[in-house]
Each structure stands twice: as structure tokens, then as C-alpha cells.
Amino acid sequence: MSGTTRSWWGWGNVEDAVVGPERRELTRRVAEMLPGADLAVHEAPPIASFDLPAGRVQAPPALAPCASAATSDRLSHSHGQAFRDVVRALLGKLPHVPDLVMRPTSEADVVRVLEWCTDENIAVIPFGGGTSVVGGVEPRVGDGYSGVVSLDLTSMNRVLEVDTTSRAALVQAGVLGPHLEAQLRDQGYTLRFFPQSFEFSSLGGWLATRAGGHFATRLTHIDDLVESLRVITPAGAVETRRLPGSGAGPSPDRMFLGSEGALGVITQAWVRLQARPRWRSGASVGFAHYEEGVQAVRALSQSGLDPANCRLLDPMEALINAGSATSVLVLGFESADHPVTAPMERALELCRDHGGVLSGGPRPTDSPDRPARGAAADTWRSSFLRMPYQRDALAAQGMIVETFETACTWDRFDRLRAAVDDAARDAMRQVGAVGVVTCRFSHVYPDGPAPYFGIYAAGTWGRTVEQWDEIKAAVSEALIGCGATITHHHAVGRDHRPWYDQQRPGLFAAALQAGKAVLDPAAILNPGVLIDPLPGRRDGAAARGHRVSRSTDEPGEFR
């Protein structure tokens, strides 16, 4: 955004940090919820205080214009945006820092970077907006490499073509959310993909992590919006055919969606566009009993109504972030084609059937402008947008404030929620952190919800990372033990690897390793995420014969 400065250590823009009255009110609420918590404020160290060792590698002359060894660049590319990343930065403990940051401006630059790094045995960490919360962009690669390069694609940020007939666009992977939407808006289109990280994350990052957007049902995963991909690997370029659908074998797109930069660098994609919505309607519905809210959401998810927003907040989540003493369902519909009064009325009828009461304002009506959501829904939406900034503020005050998300089938949800609650509370007791556990649904499907749990605990300054790691491990074991997924939309990275290794089938892991050996024979791409390379990986010298087959920005043959 123009006139703003990205924080090197925490979320978002420096100008948007929690300060003044907002911080005082936040501190007051936490002190009321957790009496006795030490909420002293700790400031991030200045960049100038870091004495980084000199980089171990130097870019060749052809790549020198793309390279930066500036301390600010190296530090800001050394971590993502998880709680543990933020706290380690606040403590000045960032042991894994890239030697260089490379900013290619063309696909040809990407090719040259991968060729150089393959030859010199340099690890490459593809980097978009840097909003990973699972260690996905952290240069924690071990000692087997001569250096580490962070490959920042944000200079490759244009919408190259819009196909108005098929309603699709060819987009470079480095574009951040707001810039993408700005380029589509004049033609009346939207990608309609708005994760919480939207302002600071990139299309390539969404694709590489199989990200989930804000919308609760239907076309919420980036997978659903991809028509084709172009990927540069150390062994060659891969470009998939533009098709609305295909039954021709396993999907090559699916191989790279969610690959987290371990198989190749996504440089551009054809994505499916939507007409910009004209009609919206929103409401908040209260439930005296949380279990009634769960049943109402299950009925909604299986009704075929496909609400755009269907977030159920448990009483603690509603109290902290929506100012309500009961469970709240934040409900919304939107359409570019037709009014949404009828689906909203039917959705509210289903809610009433399960004890729901429309709360916080008048009955919602169709409007091409801002919807009438109700007080609780409006309060929660404002809190949702401020959550990452408030997390950083509380992290600097010794609080453990972090989330973990998952998905399970409806028949397993009650057991899962109880197991997670028990595991988190027991782990908090063991590490000496007093706190609460919250739950909301971020997405819902006909066969199950995606619960999003939150931890708010008074930690011990200087130990909060270790305390959180213990809590996270306990909860992750509970997720896997209950048959849920280790992640619904936050990716695997390095932090989820132990539990992802348990979740995936063994033979699939072997097939994935074999695929990496073909695409990345020197195993330089994002080492440590998803899988380990096959034993005895080939070094750069042995991989020199594997070159990218197309090193220009010319369009592919399947346009």
C-alpha cells in the first residue's frame, strides 16, 4: 500500500500496529480475562542491532541486479508470520537467515537463479508475501548446502491477459491480493479469493500452499479457481493445458498445488474469474447452546444454499471477538446475478429450527451496498481484520496468542473438540500458562466443518515460544488421533511435518519423493518442507545436465 512501511518483524504495516487507546483497551480486556498476567510491553530490536555474518554466496554478474544482501532484506525474509516467528524476532533470535534475497523480474531470471543454485548447491526458498505460519519460508535447511537464497517473486506481479469469453485471467504469481484485485476491477471481475492474509500474500503463495479464502462454502479453496499453471523446475518448465475439467489421468495441476515450492517455482497461472457481486445480505444469529449452533450449521451446509459466510463462534470466541455472551453464527449471502433475500430467509428458518435467534439489528435485506449484518457480526468482522495486529501486540506483552485449524467429518466433531480442549488445557497446565481455548468454524462442507481453534494464555516472557511449542505438539497429536487433518488451509511447511508424515500414506510419500528427484535432482528447492529427498541426493555437479527447457517469457502453446 502506498505510504506504508511493512514491519520487518511482525504482521502487516508499521502504521497499522496496535497503539494508544486500542492497545490500552486490549490490555484491559486481557487483564480482566486473565488476572495476574504480566503484560509489560517489550519492543522489537532495531535492525541496526543485528550483526549478521556476511553472506556465504555472491550472485553471478548476470543476476547481480536481482540480488540484495541488505540486512533489512535478509532479516525480513528469514521468517514467516506465525506466533513463534514474531516472538523470536522480538527476542532478536533469528538463527536462520538467507545469504541473499533474489528478486527476479522475469521468468528468464528464475531460470538463471535455479541453474546457478543447482550448480553451486545453494538452497532456494520461494517467497511471496512471507505470510507463512508453518515455517514454510524459513531458511532452516540444515548444513548440506553452500548457502541459502530467498527467491522473492513479488516483482512479477502483472495480469498478463484477460479472456472475457471464458472469464479467466493469466496472472504472474508474485502479485499480492490488493494489486491483483485492482487490475481486475476495471473490467468488472474479481478472483473472489480473500484469505485473512489477503493484503500481504501472493497468488503464487496461495497456489503453493493450497490456501483457503474467506468464503465459507463453494469455491473457497484456491484449487477451485485454477485453470492451468506454469512452473519452472530445475529440470525444466511444466505448463499445463487450459481446460474447464479433465478426466485424463491424475491432474498435473494438483501435483504442484500445495507443493510449497519443493517441486518447482510457480511463475504464472490461468485463474477463473467471477463477476463482482451486486447483492449482499448478512445477519448474526445467536444460540443459547453451542451444540444447537453446530446442528444449525450442519443443516445449512447440507441444504445446498451455499452461504458466502457461515462462521459459528463458540461462547468464548464470541465474547472475546464479538462482544456476545452466547454462541454467534455470522451468516452472509452474495451474488452477482440475483437478489439473495430468498436464500437468506431459508437459512434463517433453518437456524430458528435449531433454536437460533436473529440478533443485533433489523432483518437483513438485499442491498447492492454494505449488508446489514447485525452488531455482533460487525464487531467480529472488525476484530477478524485486526486479529493479526492484536496478536503481535499481545505477543510483545508475554501472551501466547495463536491458532490451529483442521477439518473433520461431522460425526467426529464432538469428540475432536473435546480432545483438543483437553489436550490444550493439559499442556497449558504443564508449561505453567493460564489461558482459554476458543473455537470457530472457518469453513463448512456437507460432510464436515473446518474448526479453527484459538489459544489465549498468559505466558512467561522469554519462554513463550517453548511454551507454545509444547501446546502445539499436544494439540497436533490430538488432531491426528481423532482422524482430523493437521491443516485445513495453513499448509505443512516445516512446523507441521511430524504430523503430516503420519497423515499421508507411506507409498504416496515415496511417490512424491520420486517426483522431486525428477523435477529437482539436486534437491535445492525449499529443503525440509513436505518430504525429505531420496537418500543419496545428487549434488549440483551431477545435476548440471538437467536444464530448464524454456527460458523466456513467451506464452506457452496451450493458451
Side-chain angles (χ1 to χ4, degrees), residues 11 17 26 111 294 409 534:
W11 183 263
L26 182 63
V111 170
V294 172
T409 51
L534 287 171

Side-chain angles (χ1 to χ4, degrees), residues 11 21 37 55 74 158 196 256 270 278 300 357 360 388 408 426 428 477 484 487:
W11 183 263
R74 293 174 66 192
R158 292 181 296 131
Q196 190 177 34
F256 293 102
W270 277 96
R278 296 178 56 204
L300 283 166
V357 177
C408 65
D426 184 60
M428 283 191 284
E477 291 293 337
T487 178

Side-chain angles (χ1 to χ4, degrees), residues 7 20 32 97 123 128-129 140 157 170 182 211-212 218 222 229 246 316 323 326 334 386 402 419 432 456 488 543 545:
S7 171
E32 188 176 272
V97 178
R140 196 191 330 156
N157 57 16
L170 177 62
R218 192 175 174 275
I222 196 66
L229 295 176
S246 174
M316 185 58 70
T326 61
E334 68 175 36
R386 293 297 290 165
E402 188 56 298
Y456 299 82
H488 173 261

Side-chain angles (χ1 to χ4, degrees), residues 233-522:
T233 83
V238 177
E239 183 168 0
T240 65
R241 186 179 296 242
R242 284 187 64 198
L243 293 168
S246 174
S251 166
D253 290 323
R254 292 278 179 171
M255 183 173 187
F256 293 102
L257 291 170
S259 62
E260 302 190 32
L263 301 181
V265 180
I266 299 170
T267 56
Q268 59 190 43
W270 277 96
V271 292
R272 299 180 174 101
L273 304 180
Q274 316 295 313
R276 301 187 68 81
R278 296 178 56 204
W279 288 273
R280 297 182 178 89
S281 184
S284 57
V285 181
F287 293 89
H289 302 288
Y290 176 71
E291 293 73 18
E292 293 175 340
V294 172
Q295 294 303 313
V297 171
R298 182 165 69 87
L300 283 166
S301 71
Q302 295 174 349
S303 67
L305 292 169
D306 292 331
N309 204 355
C310 190
R311 294 175 185 258
L312 179 68
L313 319 181
D314 76 1
M316 185 58 70
E317 177 80 17
L319 179 63
I320 294 173
N321 291 306
S324 172
T326 61
S327 295
V328 172
L329 173 61
V330 181
L331 188 61
F333 289 85
E334 68 175 36
S335 174
D337 177 74
H338 53 266
V340 292
T341 300
M344 174 60 84
E345 289 180 346
R346 175 56 185 150
L348 293 176
E349 184 178 18
L350 285 171
C351 290
R352 286 192 294 270
D353 289 345
H354 292 86
V357 177
L358 183 65
S359 62
R363 186 180 183 85
T365 56
D366 278 319
S367 169
D369 303 310
R370 186 172 180 270
R373 295 186 185 88
D378 276 338
T379 301
W380 186 84
R381 182 176 183 275
S382 298
S383 297
F384 178 76
L385 296 175
R386 293 297 290 165
M387 280 176 190
Y389 290 104
Q390 293 179 348
R391 185 275 313 265
D392 286 4
L394 292 175
Q397 293 179 256
M399 288 286 293
I400 301 170
V401 182
E402 188 56 298
T403 60
F404 42 91
E405 40 74 55
T406 185
C408 65
T409 51
W410 285 112
D411 62 305
R412 295 179 177 178
F413 172 66
D414 290 341
R415 175 173 171 251
L416 173 71
R417 181 168 181 257
V420 166
D421 194 73
D422 289 345
R425 292 180 185 279
D426 184 60
M428 283 191 284
R429 283 193 296 270
Q430 292 192 36
V431 300
V434 178
V436 299
V437 184
T438 70
C439 180
R440 68 178 185 265
F441 290 164
S442 62
H443 305 77
V444 292
Y445 305 89
D447 51 345
Y452 202 107
F453 296 92
I455 296 287
Y456 299 82
T460 303
W461 179 250
R463 291 188 54 239
T464 53
V465 169
E466 292 77 13
Q467 289 174 309
W468 165 247
D469 285 346
E470 291 293 322
I471 298 168
K472 172 73 171 179
V475 168
S476 298
E477 291 293 337
L479 296 181
I480 295 299
C482 289
T485 178
I486 188 58
T487 178
H488 173 261
H489 58 269
H490 279 173
V492 175
R494 293 167 177 81
D495 297 345
H496 281 159
R497 267 293 305 277
W499 300 282
Y500 175 65
D501 288 355
Q502 297 178 51
Q503 178 177 329
R504 69 186 176 200
L507 284 176
F508 174 77
L512 194 57
Q513 283 181 316
K516 181 173 175 64
V518 170
L519 297 168
D520 180 22

Side-chain angles (χ1 to χ4, degrees), residues 530-542:
L530 290 182
I531 52 170
D532 296 323
L534 287 171
R537 69 176 177 85
R538 296 157 64 180
D539 61 22

Side-chain angles (χ1 to χ4, degrees), residues 193 210-213 219-225 443 445 488-489:
F193 189 79
R210 294 186 68 194
L219 300 182
T220 185
H221 280 279
I222 196 66
D223 311 36
D224 303 320
L225 303 174
H443 305 77
Y445 305 89
H488 173 261
H489 58 269

